[in-house]
Amino acid sequence: MVLAQAPRSSVLRFTLSVAVTSRWKVAAALGTLAILLAAEGSWIPSLWGDEAASLLSAERPVPSLFRMLGHVDAVHGTYYLGLHWWIRVFGTSPFALRFPSAVAVGFAVAGTVAIAWRLAGRRVAVIAGLVCAVLPRVTYMGEEARSYAFSAAFAVWLTVVLLEILARPRVRRRWWVVYGILLTAGTYLFLYVALFAVVHAVLLLVARPGRRVLVPWAIAAGAAAVASFPLVVVAFLERRQIAYLATTNQITGNAVFSTLWFSTWTVAVVGWGLILFALGGAWRERGRAASAGTHQGAAGIDRPLPSLAATGAAWLAIPTIILVGGHSITPDFTPRYLSFCAPAAALVIALGLTRLSRVRRWAPLVAGTILLAAIVPVYAAQRTPYAKNGSDWAEVSSTIGANARPGDGVVFDESTKPSKRPRLAMLTYPAGFRGLVDVAVRTPFASSRTWHDSAMTVPQAERAGRFDGIRHVWLIELADGATVDSYGRADLEHLGYQEVGRTLVTHASRITELAR
């Protein structure tokens, strides 16, 4: 009897080994595809305000960076520090700045495949990976020099680890150490990753794994909370930095139902339709799902796991409800803060596409084609020169470089908010400004307590002697329809400068040459 059992046991182990190997090969392949899709054309859009904050913070010497973090942007400090060392090796081109985010997207997609494979099998896993790789929020955060792609990667792999723990008959302590480290590191990289402790608490209530998991999970999550507490305190002290969110209408139907993960209503209608179809089907079959809510572990013993529908629904809903609900108390929400929920949208959409085959065999192909057709124009639009909030700084730099002469002065419009000020064109694309004199700069960003330069007015710069010996001045103003009030023009004319030549107009800026 023992001899007869041995071959079957060996076959089972071999079969599981092949299945696990196949899972990671597929995950790696789709993750690589996601990297390529995110990186393709990522150098085309001009850098914009948020990315300027990343670049200028990363360019600072480390002591200067830590001084700045004591006043602003502490919640992004880990990302800035990592980017600091990255650009020392790979430079500050838009492609170099954005490529780490493309890699993070690749990891997020690979982990999404692993989650779907664990909970629903290979077919759903492949579809989930493909959907995640092309979802507009994912392709957008994969070409942006911010921490959102990394927050998604940490959220995904934190969930991969939790599901691995639930599927094992015996869990070694190192798995809980890994879980605690991932939760802590993810929180330091992007504060709201901490919300996944709540998401996972709900999933554990659904799975009901018993004390063998609940107690060590509580310990690991509690340790991560203690380790992250200093960041929470600093974030609270610096909360005024995002107080502007209270003055803008962040919570709209368009923001919540379209912008979050789909970018346009065309994609949103298809995406939400598939999500609702998947969750509706899961709800109707909740009786069968309850009995099938276990997983056959490697040892041949049933292990409690949440369903894919429950995992995706909790992941999508809980962070959204917390941030949107909390926004009425303290400003804490803008759609990109929920970028880490995009993989969950992919999981549930994949489930919806798979379930369509029960209606008609060809239905998943048709729905998938419609979804892809809606996504392609969005992907193409994300990779155009002005895709990032209309920023045209690359164009401004090239225009100045083609027209200005060494020794000319340059004055920037300082009337708008720091993240839109034209002087960021010089700081993000310095080549076109080489040899010019920034006559109004007061404190360069590397010496400032915040992430950007501070500047003087034209009269202050004149009193400081900044215009001495400057015959030609280039005035660069924001001209996107909001600011066309000739910033500094009257003051420059008072100093004897008059417009010469023609006014150069770029996508969102007006460039005027003046001479004494």
Side-chain angles (χ1 to χ4, degrees):
M1 191 70 170
V2 174
L3 292 175
Q5 190 71 21
R8 273 190 289 179
S9 178
S10 299
V11 169
L12 177 60
R13 284 197 298 270
F14 174 76
T15 302
L16 288 171
S17 175
V18 170
V20 169
T21 301
S22 299
R23 175 173 54 151
W24 294 117
K25 283 183 178 179
V26 172
L30 291 175
T32 302
L33 173 64
I35 293 173
L36 295 176
L37 285 172
E40 173 62 29
S42 62
W43 58 88
I44 296 173
S46 177
L47 297 170
W48 72 298
D50 280 15
E51 293 181 303
S54 296
L55 171 60
L56 302 189
S57 299
E59 282 188 319
R60 305 167 78 111
V62 173
S64 171
L65 174 59
F66 278 104
R67 284 196 302 272
M68 183 199 81
L69 296 177
H71 299 277
V72 295
D73 269 1
V75 293
H76 300 298
T78 302
Y79 174 74
Y80 291 161
L81 188 61
L83 192 62
H84 171 86
W85 298 110
W86 172 266
I87 65 176
R88 284 173 66 99
V89 178
F90 298 103
T92 59
S93 70
F95 178 80
L97 284 172
R98 290 164 173 162
F99 188 70
S101 293
V103 174
V105 157
F107 275 94
V109 169
T112 301
V113 172
I115 292 170
W117 198 303
R118 169 73 74 185
L119 298 178
R122 179 173 59 186
R123 184 186 180 197
V124 177
V126 172
I127 296 173
L130 291 172
V131 171
C132 193
V134 301
L135 209 59
R137 174 57 64 182
V138 174
T139 55
Y140 183 88
M141 66 187 178
E143 59 149 7
E144 182 161 66
R146 295 297 279 174
S147 62
Y148 304 119
F150 290 89
S151 73
F154 271 92
V156 166
W157 284 94
L158 195 63
T159 305
V160 170
V161 171
L162 180 68
L163 295 177
E164 184 67 28
I165 288 170
L166 290 174
R168 287 174 172 263
R170 296 181 62 186
V171 183
R172 295 186 178 181
R173 185 178 301 173
R174 67 188 180 196
W175 283 99
W176 292 115
V177 172
V178 170
Y179 182 89
I181 290 173
L182 282 176
L183 182 55
T184 304
T187 301
Y188 270 92
L189 193 63
F190 185 69
L191 182 63
Y192 292 151
V193 170
L195 295 176
F196 274 80
V198 183
V199 175
H200 288 173
V202 171
L203 293 181
L204 290 174
L205 290 175
V206 171
R208 292 181 291 181
R211 289 176 58 83
R212 73 175 184 88
V213 169
L214 293 178
V215 172
W217 174 82
I219 294 172
V226 171
S228 304
F229 186 70
L231 179 66
V232 175
V233 171
V234 177
F236 177 78
L237 295 176
E238 295 182 1
R239 66 191 184 280
R240 290 180 180 273
Q241 187 180 355
I242 59 171
Y244 74 93
L245 294 176
T247 65
T248 58
N249 190 10
Q250 296 290 326
I251 302 175
T252 64
N254 184 64
V256 174
F257 294 106
S258 175
T259 307
L260 279 184
W261 308 301
F262 305 118
S263 294
T264 69
W265 277 107
T266 306
V267 182
V269 167
V270 182
W272 279 113
L274 290 167
I275 288 172
L276 294 175
F277 180 76
L279 297 181
W283 179 259
R284 287 192 303 269
E285 298 174 0
R286 63 189 183 278
R288 279 186 295 166
S291 61
T294 56
H295 178 79
Q296 192 74 10
I301 303 172
D302 285 343
R303 302 293 164 203
L305 285 173
S307 68
L308 183 61
T311 301
W315 190 339
L316 283 174
I318 293 171
T320 304
I321 290 171
I322 292 174
L323 291 187
V324 171
H327 190 74
S328 60
I329 302 171
T330 181
D332 64 352
F333 172 79
T334 192
R336 59 184 178 272
Y337 289 175
L338 287 167
S339 297
F340 52 43
C341 292
L347 288 172
V348 186
I349 288 172
L351 185 60
L353 286 168
T354 306
R355 283 182 175 273
L356 278 175
S357 62
R358 303 178 186 181
V359 180
R360 292 287 188 275
R361 291 183 61 183
W362 45 262
L365 179 60
V366 172
T369 301
I370 293 172
L371 178 63
L372 182 61
I375 286 174
V376 167
V378 179
Y379 177 83
Q382 289 173 347
R383 282 145 180 81
T384 54
Y386 315 121
K388 298 288 187 179
N389 208 31
S391 174
D392 66 343
W393 297 338
E395 184 183 11
V396 169
S397 178
S398 62
T399 301
I400 286 290
N403 291 276
R405 297 165 292 277
D408 286 357
V410 59
V411 173
F412 298 98
D413 182 350
E414 305 290 343
S415 65
T416 188
K417 63 182 182 179
S419 62
K420 297 197 72 171
R421 288 176 185 167
R423 72 168 38 253
L424 293 175
M426 178 181 66
L427 298 174
T428 53
Y429 295 92
F433 294 86
R434 207 158 279 138
L436 303 188
V437 181
D438 182 4
V439 295
V441 66
R442 183 194 304 274
T443 307
F445 69 89
S447 302
S448 172
R449 296 196 307 177
T450 188
W451 61 268
H452 53 82
D453 291 348
S454 66
M456 296 180 279
T457 63
V458 170
Q460 289 171 335
E462 166 63 14
R463 288 194 293 271
R466 297 290 186 86
F467 287 93
D468 295 350
I470 302 295
R471 172 170 167 73
H472 285 83
V473 169
W474 295 87
L475 175 63
I476 305 177
E477 300 168 274
L478 183 68
D480 62 355
T483 305
V484 288
D485 56 355
S486 300
Y487 172 87
R489 175 73 67 89
D491 293 322
L492 288 169
E493 290 176 349
H494 181 72
L495 299 180
Y497 290 96
Q498 297 295 324
E499 182 177 345
V500 295
R502 57 192 176 89
T503 297
L504 306 173
V505 179
T506 62
H507 178 74
S509 305
R510 183 172 60 187
I511 304 172
T512 307
E513 182 185 9
L514 299 100
R516 275 178 168 167

